[in-house]
Amino acid sequence: MNFFKIKTTWTNAEFIIIKLCIASAYLFIGSYFHNFIKDYYVPLLVIFGITLIWFVYLWLKKMKNE
């Protein structure tokens, strides 16, 4: 089974999760080099972890349904 050839459809509401996941990762990487945002490392990592797990769960669920 090749996961990259399977096509799935996504609603706009489901894209919010992947956008939050990517945005928190970018903010974490960007804040690593800036002292102003260093107090937000833990909340950013929590948001990234939750949204990453949520996104992968939705993705696998959609692939199983098709």
Side-chain angles (χ1 to χ4, degrees), residues 40-58:
Y40 302 106
Y41 286 152
V42 174
L44 287 173
L45 282 175
V46 169
I47 292 172
F48 174 71
I50 291 170
T51 54
L52 178 66
I53 291 168
W54 195 356
F55 172 71
V56 170
Y57 168 75
L58 286 175

Side-chain angles (χ1 to χ4, degrees), residues 6-18 54-63 66:
I6 297 173
K7 294 185 179 183
T8 60
T9 57
W10 292 87
T11 63
N12 288 335
E14 291 170 333
F15 272 118
I16 292 172
I17 298 165
I18 187 62
W54 195 356
F55 172 71
V56 170
Y57 168 75
L58 286 175
W59 183 46
L60 292 174
K61 183 177 159 186
K62 282 190 168 290
M63 287 189 349
E66 290 188 8

Side-chain angles (χ1 to χ4, degrees), residues 30-41:
S31 69
Y32 183 77
F33 300 105
H34 198 279
N35 290 331
F36 179 72
I37 308 176
K38 70 180 180 181
D39 297 331
Y40 302 106
Y41 286 152

